[in-house]
Amino acid sequence: MINGSKIILRDKTLADALDDYTWQTDPELARLDAVPPLNTVFPQYLSGYASKLHYSPQTRHSFAIETLDGKHIGNCVYFGIDERKGEAELGIMIGNRDYWDKGYGANTVTTLVNYIFRQTNLKRIYLKTLESNSRAQKCFQKCDFTPYKHLVRDGFSFVFMELHRTQWQEQQTET
Ligand SMILES: CC(C)(COP(=O)(O)OP(=O)(O)OC[C@H]1O[C@@H](n2cnc3c(N)ncnc32)[C@H](O)[C@@H]1OP(=O)(O)O)[C@@H](O)C(=O)NCCC(=O)NCCS
């Protein structure tokens, strides 16, 4: 369990499956993530979900995001862990709209970044979001991520943002 000031990050469990299914089949959430909405029935989703929980690769760590009073509001992950390059990609989704624009995203990102830089030797964390997703970019800026690359892939325009350990360390000494 990883504690933030507004959220906790905990391991995923089978009890998260229905929330995750609801969010992955939501057309707006899928559009914001530049993926098609999931198109499988829940029982089929559930059987794949159970096996993924048990066989998660070493290069990927997923967490459920909970409010301090225990409500599951989304998920976050760091993945594509490359020990040689010293970097990993971060992903986040607050699926529950009631919790948008209230600082839960920023607190999640900061909490996960602190965890990664304190518990691993990684030197750089990066992420990508759609150019059109101003909310996400604002959230990541608040967490000291800066844009470094723009890329069009499959007709979608993405901005890549990064945070280096050195920048993070500077922020730690300032605060
Ligand atoms: C993107 C996401 C993680 C951000 O989390 P969040 O809790 O909503 O973000 P925060 O409240 O920490 O920060 C959002 C900021 O963007 C601002 N904002 C909201 N809409 C905006 C817009 N259209 N243009 C500019 N800024 C905007 C908010 O006011 C807030 O800034 P403030 O704290 O200065 O007021 C979350 O909203 C989410 O998961 N959304 C749905 C899925 C999604 O976008 N997926 C792609 C993620 S890469």
Side-chain angles (χ1 to χ4, degrees), residues 29 32-33 92-94 99-106 128-129 133-136 138-140 142:
L29 291 174
L32 288 165
D33 230 1
I92 175 171
M93 188 211 39
I94 309 267
Y99 292 85
W100 289 0
D101 293 338
K102 293 178 179 155
Y104 288 91
K128 64 175 177 305
T129 189
N133 196 338
S134 306
R135 174 185 290 114
K138 177 77 186 295
C139 170
F140 303 140
K142 289 197 294 178

Coordinates of all heavy atoms in Angstrom, one line a residue, residues 29 32-33 92-94 99-106 128-129 133-136 138-140 142, ligand 1:
L29 N -14.2 7.6 -22.1 CA -12.9 7.3 -21.5 C -11.9 6.7 -22.5 O -10.7 6.9 -22.6 CB -13.0 6.3 -20.3 CG -13.7 6.9 -19.0 CD1 -14.0 5.8 -18.0 CD2 -12.8 8.0 -18.5
L32 N -10.6 9.4 -24.7 CA -9.5 10.2 -24.1 C -8.2 9.4 -24.0 O -7.1 10.0 -23.9 CB -10.0 10.6 -22.7 CG -11.0 11.6 -22.6 CD1 -11.7 11.7 -21.2 CD2 -10.4 13.0 -23.0
D33 N -8.3 8.1 -24.1 CA -7.1 7.2 -24.1 C -6.7 6.8 -25.5 O -5.7 6.0 -25.6 CB -7.5 6.0 -23.2 CG -6.4 5.7 -22.2 OD1 -5.5 6.5 -22.1 OD2 -6.6 4.7 -21.4
I92 N -2.2 6.6 -16.1 CA -3.2 6.9 -15.1 C -4.6 7.0 -15.7 O -4.7 7.6 -16.8 CB -2.9 8.1 -14.2 CG1 -4.0 8.4 -13.3 CG2 -2.6 9.3 -15.1 CD1 -3.7 9.5 -12.2
M93 N -5.6 6.6 -15.1 CA -7.0 6.9 -15.5 C -7.8 7.0 -14.2 O -7.9 6.1 -13.4 CB -7.5 5.8 -16.3 CG -8.9 6.2 -16.9 SD -10.0 4.8 -17.2 CE -9.7 3.7 -15.8
I94 N -8.5 8.1 -14.0 CA -9.5 8.3 -13.0 C -10.8 8.0 -13.7 O -11.3 8.8 -14.5 CB -9.5 9.7 -12.4 CG1 -8.2 10.2 -12.0 CG2 -10.6 9.8 -11.3 CD1 -7.8 9.9 -10.6
Y99 N -14.6 12.5 -9.6 CA -13.3 12.8 -9.0 C -12.4 13.5 -10.0 O -11.2 13.6 -9.7 CB -12.7 11.5 -8.4 CG -13.6 11.0 -7.2 CD1 -14.7 10.2 -7.4 CD2 -13.2 11.4 -5.9 CE1 -15.5 9.8 -6.4 CE2 -14.0 11.0 -4.9 CZ -15.1 10.2 -5.1 OH -15.9 9.8 -4.0
W100 N -12.9 14.0 -11.1 CA -12.0 14.8 -12.0 C -11.9 16.2 -11.5 O -12.8 16.7 -10.8 CB -12.7 14.8 -13.4 CG -12.6 13.5 -14.2 CD1 -12.1 12.3 -13.8 CD2 -13.1 13.3 -15.5 NE1 -12.3 11.4 -14.7 CE2 -12.9 11.9 -15.8 CE3 -13.8 14.1 -16.4 CZ2 -13.3 11.4 -17.0 CZ3 -14.2 13.5 -17.6 CH2 -13.9 12.2 -17.9
D101 N -10.8 16.8 -11.8 CA -10.6 18.3 -11.5 C -10.6 18.6 -10.0 O -10.9 19.7 -9.6 CB -11.6 19.2 -12.2 CG -11.4 19.1 -13.7 OD1 -10.3 18.7 -14.2 OD2 -12.4 19.4 -14.4
K102 N -10.3 17.6 -9.2 CA -10.2 17.8 -7.7 C -8.9 17.5 -7.1 O -8.8 17.3 -5.9 CB -11.3 17.0 -7.0 CG -12.7 17.5 -7.4 CD -13.8 16.7 -6.8 CE -15.2 17.2 -7.2 NZ -16.3 16.3 -7.2
G103 N -7.9 17.3 -8.0 CA -6.5 17.1 -7.5 C -6.2 15.6 -7.2 O -5.1 15.3 -6.8
Y104 N -7.1 14.7 -7.5 CA -6.8 13.3 -7.2 C -5.8 12.8 -8.2 O -4.9 12.0 -7.9 CB -8.1 12.4 -7.3 CG -9.0 12.7 -6.1 CD1 -10.0 13.6 -6.2 CD2 -8.8 11.9 -5.0 CE1 -10.8 13.9 -5.1 CE2 -9.7 12.1 -3.8 CZ -10.6 13.1 -3.9 OH -11.4 13.3 -2.8
G105 N -5.9 13.2 -9.5 CA -4.9 12.8 -10.5 C -3.5 13.2 -10.1 O -2.6 12.4 -10.2
A106 N -3.4 14.5 -9.8 CA -2.1 15.1 -9.5 C -1.5 14.4 -8.3 O -0.3 14.0 -8.2 CB -2.1 16.6 -9.3
K128 N 2.6 9.7 -22.0 CA 2.0 10.3 -23.2 C 0.5 10.6 -23.0 O -0.1 9.8 -22.3 CB 2.3 9.5 -24.5 CG 1.6 8.2 -24.5 CD 1.9 7.6 -25.9 CE 1.3 6.2 -26.0 NZ 1.7 5.2 -25.0
T129 N 0.1 11.6 -23.7 CA -1.4 11.9 -23.7 C -1.7 12.6 -25.0 O -0.8 13.1 -25.7 CB -1.8 12.7 -22.4 OG1 -3.2 12.8 -22.4 CG2 -1.2 14.1 -22.5
N133 N -6.0 16.6 -25.0 CA -6.4 16.4 -23.6 C -5.7 17.4 -22.6 O -4.7 17.1 -22.0 CB -6.0 14.9 -23.2 CG -6.7 14.5 -21.9 OD1 -7.1 15.3 -21.1 ND2 -6.8 13.2 -21.7
S134 N -6.3 18.6 -22.6 CA -5.7 19.7 -21.8 C -5.7 19.4 -20.3 O -4.8 19.8 -19.6 CB -6.5 21.0 -22.1 OG -6.5 21.2 -23.4
R135 N -6.8 18.7 -19.9 CA -6.9 18.4 -18.4 C -5.7 17.5 -18.0 O -5.0 17.8 -17.0 CB -8.2 17.7 -18.1 CG -8.3 17.2 -16.7 CD -9.5 16.4 -16.4 NE -10.7 17.2 -16.5 CZ -11.7 17.0 -17.4 NH1 -11.6 16.1 -18.3 NH2 -12.7 17.8 -17.3
A136 N -5.4 16.5 -18.8 CA -4.3 15.6 -18.5 C -3.0 16.3 -18.5 O -2.2 16.2 -17.5 CB -4.3 14.4 -19.4
K138 N -2.4 19.5 -18.0 CA -2.3 20.4 -16.8 C -2.0 19.6 -15.6 O -1.2 20.0 -14.8 CB -3.7 21.1 -16.7 CG -3.8 22.0 -15.5 CD -3.1 23.4 -15.8 CE -3.1 24.3 -14.6 NZ -4.4 24.7 -14.1
C139 N -2.7 18.5 -15.4 CA -2.4 17.6 -14.3 C -0.9 17.2 -14.2 O -0.3 17.3 -13.2 CB -3.3 16.4 -14.4 SG -2.9 15.1 -13.2
F140 N -0.4 16.8 -15.4 CA 1.0 16.3 -15.4 C 2.0 17.5 -15.2 O 3.0 17.3 -14.5 CB 1.3 15.6 -16.7 CG 0.4 14.4 -16.9 CD1 -0.1 14.1 -18.2 CD2 0.0 13.6 -15.8 CE1 -0.9 13.0 -18.3 CE2 -0.8 12.5 -16.0 CZ -1.3 12.2 -17.3
K142 N 1.4 20.0 -13.3 CA 1.4 20.3 -11.9 C 2.4 19.4 -11.1 O 2.8 19.7 -10.0 CB 0.0 20.1 -11.3 CG -1.0 21.2 -11.7 CD -2.2 21.2 -10.8 CE -3.1 20.0 -11.0 NZ -4.3 19.9 -10.1
Ligands
LIG1 C1 -6.4 13.1 -16.8 C2 -6.7 12.8 -15.3 C3 -5.7 11.7 -14.8 C4 -6.4 14.0 -14.5 O1 -6.8 13.8 -13.1 P1 -7.6 14.9 -12.4 O2 -7.8 14.5 -11.0 O3 -8.9 15.2 -13.1 O4 -6.6 16.1 -12.5 P2 -6.3 17.3 -11.4 O5 -7.5 17.8 -10.8 O6 -5.1 16.9 -10.6 O7 -5.7 18.4 -12.4 C5 -6.5 18.8 -13.6 C6 -6.2 20.3 -13.9 O8 -6.7 20.5 -15.2 C7 -7.5 21.6 -15.2 N1 -8.4 21.5 -16.3 C8 -9.6 20.8 -16.4 N2 -10.1 20.9 -17.7 C9 -9.2 21.7 -18.4 C10 -9.2 22.1 -19.7 N3 -10.1 21.8 -20.6 N4 -8.1 22.9 -20.1 C11 -7.1 23.3 -19.2 N5 -7.1 22.8 -17.9 C12 -8.2 22.1 -17.5 C13 -8.2 21.6 -13.8 O9 -8.8 22.8 -13.4 C14 -7.0 21.2 -12.9 O10 -6.1 22.3 -12.7 P3 -6.1 23.1 -11.3 O11 -5.8 22.1 -10.2 O12 -5.1 24.2 -11.5 O13 -7.5 23.6 -11.1 C15 -8.2 12.4 -15.1 O14 -9.0 13.5 -15.3 C16 -8.6 11.3 -16.0 O15 -8.2 10.1 -15.8 N6 -9.5 11.6 -16.9 C17 -10.1 10.6 -17.8 C18 -9.3 9.8 -18.7 C19 -8.1 10.4 -19.4 O16 -8.1 11.6 -19.6 N7 -7.2 9.6 -19.8 C20 -6.0 10.0 -20.4 C21 -5.0 10.2 -19.3 S1 -3.4 10.3 -20.1

